Amino acid sequence: MSVAPEDREIIARLAKERDAVILAHYYCLPEIHDVADFVGDSLGLSQEAARSSAKVIVFCGVHFMAETASILCPEKTVLLANADAGCPMADMVAPEDLEKRKAESPGVPVLTYVNSSAKVKALSDICCTSANVTAVLRSLPSQKVLMTPDRNLALYAQSLVPEKEVLLWPGFCPTHHRLNLLEIQELKRSHPLAEVIAHPECQPKILNEAHFIGSTSGLIKRCAQSDKDEFIILTESGVIYPLSKAHPDKKFYQPKTAMICPNMKKNRVSDIILALKNLEPVIKVPEEIRLPALRAVERMLAIPRDQ
Ligand code: 13P
Ligand code: SF4
């Protein structure tokens, strides 16, 4: 859906009045990409939040992303365009359960995917995203590492960093986890010239079918750099919009199993307008959680991304 010119004008005017920047994840709807100042992956969005000089950040994404912005920029007003946009994977690790698991594995550092609550980050030694997971894992001095909450990302990292022993947590992304192997194999047979590219939140049996694995930004970059003209895209469908715009001559295929994150899609243009008008919903991480969480996030940001 295209953005009405009057909505564009209202957003531009309010953003200027509020000194606001609009950040959006690739999985958001096309119209959100169109009005955002910056569209990126989780790592890129955190870095952009930290870099921005704006007073207000309007986050179009899910709750943990706005929390990460609040952790990094306590002096800014961080708004989540749609307060109901959560991440089911982030909810698969409760702070109490992580505390219990840490007590059972003394001395084992905890590496937590940014798709987690601020409270869980505060209990972790370091964070990672899908764009830096192997570099972060390698950077840890300990041989044994507990990774939360995404089991699939942990298995992927373990396969690339065999010198570590990765202890798993049983979390997963419902959108990526439900991909069906037979369907992917059938899609490959239908498009034998296509390069298969996948997000590491997919299960190992799906990643085995891929020619390239990466974060959302990594996948988008890959389509630009590859000499192939056709791609099978195994991640949330939001990436198809920037890909089709950047490469109108290339073909992008997705499985019939809907690759849609219902939470990312909750962010609407009308939410951005309301957030800018009312300066809410505010996401503010309390200082006693923010400071230990910041330590884990800053340790991650000090490590260069894999892709
Ligand atoms: P990226 O870090 O690759 O943007 O992925 C975020 C996410 O939520 C994937 O499901
Ligand atoms: Fe969470 Fe998956 Fe949605 Fe990403 S795609 S926000 S991991 S539910």
Side-chain angles (χ1 to χ4, degrees), residues 11 14-15 30 52 63 67 74 79 83 88 106 108 135 138-139 142 165 185 209 221 253 264 272 275 291 294:
I11 290 174
L14 288 173
S52 170
H63 191 267
E67 270 195 340
L79 309 171
V108 176
R138 281 197 187 96
S139 77
S142 164
E165 184 188 343
Q185 289 170 337
E209 298 291 324
K221 214 183 286 169
Y253 309 110
M264 290 283 189
I272 298 177
L291 290 173
L294 177 66

Coordinates of all heavy atoms in Angstrom, one line a residue, residues 11 14-15 30 52 63 67 74 79 83 88 106 108 135 138-139 142 165 185 209 221 253 264 272 275 291 294:
I11 N 3.7 13.4 8.8 CA 4.9 12.7 9.4 C 6.1 13.6 9.4 O 6.8 13.8 10.4 CB 5.1 11.3 8.8 CG1 4.0 10.4 9.2 CG2 6.5 10.8 9.3 CD1 4.1 9.0 8.6
L14 N 5.6 16.6 11.8 CA 5.7 16.2 13.2 C 7.1 15.8 13.6 O 7.6 16.1 14.7 CB 4.7 15.1 13.6 CG 3.2 15.5 13.6 CD1 2.3 14.2 13.7 CD2 2.9 16.4 14.7
A15 N 7.7 15.0 12.7 CA 9.1 14.6 13.0 C 10.0 15.8 13.2 O 10.9 15.8 14.1 CB 9.6 13.7 11.9
P30 N 5.8 -2.4 3.6 CA 6.4 -1.5 2.6 C 6.2 0.0 2.9 O 7.1 0.8 2.8 CB 5.8 -1.9 1.3 CG 5.4 -3.3 1.4 CD 5.1 -3.5 2.9
S52 N 22.3 8.5 16.3 CA 21.4 9.6 16.0 C 21.4 10.7 17.0 O 21.6 10.5 18.2 CB 19.9 9.0 16.0 OG 19.0 10.1 15.9
H63 N 9.1 -5.0 20.4 CA 9.4 -4.4 21.8 C 10.9 -4.5 22.1 O 11.5 -3.5 22.5 CB 8.6 -5.2 22.8 CG 8.6 -4.5 24.1 ND1 9.5 -4.8 25.1 CD2 7.8 -3.5 24.6 CE1 9.3 -4.0 26.2 NE2 8.3 -3.2 25.9
E67 N 13.5 -1.5 23.3 CA 14.2 -1.5 24.6 C 15.7 -1.4 24.4 O 16.4 -0.7 25.1 CB 13.9 -2.9 25.2 CG 12.8 -3.0 26.1 CD 12.8 -4.2 27.0 OE1 13.5 -5.2 26.7 OE2 12.1 -4.2 28.0
P74 N 19.5 6.5 26.9 CA 18.6 6.8 28.0 C 18.1 8.3 28.0 O 17.1 8.6 28.5 CB 19.5 6.6 29.2 CG 20.9 6.7 28.8 CD 20.9 6.2 27.4
L79 N 10.0 5.7 21.4 CA 8.6 5.3 21.2 C 8.5 4.0 20.4 O 9.3 3.9 19.4 CB 7.8 6.4 20.5 CG 8.0 7.8 21.1 CD1 7.3 8.9 20.2 CD2 7.3 7.9 22.5
A83 N 2.5 -0.5 20.5 CA 2.9 -1.1 21.8 C 2.6 -2.6 21.9 O 3.2 -3.3 22.7 CB 2.1 -0.4 22.9
P88 N 7.7 -13.3 20.1 CA 7.4 -14.5 20.8 C 8.7 -15.2 21.2 O 8.8 -15.8 22.3 CB 6.6 -15.4 19.9 CG 6.3 -14.6 18.7 CD 7.0 -13.3 18.8
P106 N 27.8 -22.8 36.8 CA 28.6 -21.7 37.2 C 29.8 -21.5 36.4 O 30.4 -22.4 35.9 CB 29.0 -22.1 38.7 CG 28.7 -23.6 38.7 CD 27.7 -23.9 37.7
V108 N 29.9 -20.4 33.4 CA 29.7 -20.4 31.9 C 29.1 -19.1 31.5 O 28.1 -18.7 32.0 CB 28.7 -21.6 31.6 CG1 28.4 -21.6 30.1 CG2 29.3 -22.9 32.0
A135 N 31.4 -14.0 15.4 CA 32.5 -13.2 15.9 C 32.4 -13.0 17.4 O 33.4 -13.1 18.2 CB 32.5 -11.8 15.2
R138 N 33.3 -16.4 19.1 CA 34.8 -16.6 19.1 C 35.5 -15.7 20.1 O 36.5 -16.0 20.6 CB 35.3 -16.3 17.7 CG 35.1 -17.4 16.8 CD 36.0 -17.3 15.5 NE 35.6 -18.3 14.6 CZ 34.8 -18.1 13.6 NH1 34.3 -16.9 13.3 NH2 34.4 -19.1 12.8
S139 N 34.9 -14.5 20.4 CA 35.6 -13.5 21.2 C 35.6 -13.9 22.7 O 36.3 -13.4 23.5 CB 34.9 -12.2 21.1 OG 33.6 -12.2 21.9
S142 N 35.9 -18.3 27.4 CA 35.5 -19.6 27.9 C 35.2 -20.6 26.7 O 34.7 -20.2 25.7 CB 34.3 -19.4 28.7 OG 33.7 -20.6 29.0
E165 N 31.9 -25.1 23.0 CA 30.8 -26.0 23.3 C 29.6 -25.1 23.7 O 29.7 -24.4 24.7 CB 31.2 -27.0 24.5 CG 30.1 -28.0 24.8 CD 30.3 -28.8 26.1 OE1 31.5 -28.8 26.6 OE2 29.3 -29.3 26.6
Q185 N 12.6 -28.1 -0.8 CA 13.2 -29.0 -1.8 C 12.4 -28.9 -3.1 O 13.0 -28.9 -4.2 CB 13.3 -30.4 -1.3 CG 14.4 -30.5 -0.2 CD 14.4 -31.8 0.6 OE1 13.4 -32.6 0.6 NE2 15.6 -32.2 1.2
E209 N 20.0 -26.7 3.2 CA 19.5 -26.5 1.8 C 20.0 -25.2 1.2 O 19.8 -24.9 0.0 CB 18.0 -26.5 1.7 CG 17.4 -27.8 2.1 CD 17.7 -29.0 1.2 OE1 17.7 -28.7 0.0 OE2 17.9 -30.1 1.7
K221 N 22.4 -7.8 1.1 CA 23.7 -7.5 0.5 C 24.1 -8.6 -0.5 O 24.6 -8.4 -1.6 CB 24.8 -7.4 1.6 CG 25.9 -6.4 1.2 CD 26.9 -6.3 2.3 CE 26.5 -5.6 3.6 NZ 27.5 -5.8 4.7
Y253 N 11.9 -15.7 -5.0 CA 10.8 -16.6 -4.7 C 10.8 -16.9 -3.2 O 11.8 -16.9 -2.5 CB 11.1 -17.9 -5.4 CG 11.3 -17.8 -6.9 CD1 12.6 -18.0 -7.4 CD2 10.3 -17.4 -7.8 CE1 12.9 -17.9 -8.7 CE2 10.6 -17.2 -9.1 CZ 11.8 -17.5 -9.6 OH 12.1 -17.3 -10.9
M264 N 5.7 -7.8 13.6 CA 6.4 -6.7 12.8 C 5.3 -6.0 11.9 O 5.4 -4.8 11.7 CB 7.4 -7.3 11.8 CG 8.6 -7.8 12.6 SD 9.7 -6.4 13.1 CE 11.1 -7.3 13.6
I272 N 2.5 5.6 13.6 CA 3.7 6.5 13.6 C 3.1 8.0 13.9 O 3.7 8.7 14.7 CB 4.4 6.5 12.3 CG1 5.0 5.1 12.1 CG2 5.5 7.6 12.3 CD1 5.8 4.9 10.7
A275 N 2.0 8.2 17.5 CA 3.2 8.3 18.4 C 3.9 9.6 18.3 O 4.2 10.2 19.4 CB 4.2 7.2 17.9
L291 N 21.6 -0.5 33.2 CA 23.1 -0.5 33.3 C 23.8 -1.9 33.0 O 24.7 -2.0 32.2 CB 23.6 0.1 34.6 CG 23.3 1.7 34.7 CD1 23.5 2.2 36.0 CD2 24.1 2.4 33.6
L294 N 23.2 -2.7 29.4 CA 24.1 -1.9 28.5 C 25.5 -2.5 28.4 O 26.1 -2.5 27.3 CB 24.2 -0.4 29.1 CG 25.1 0.5 28.4 CD1 24.6 0.8 27.0 CD2 25.3 1.8 29.2

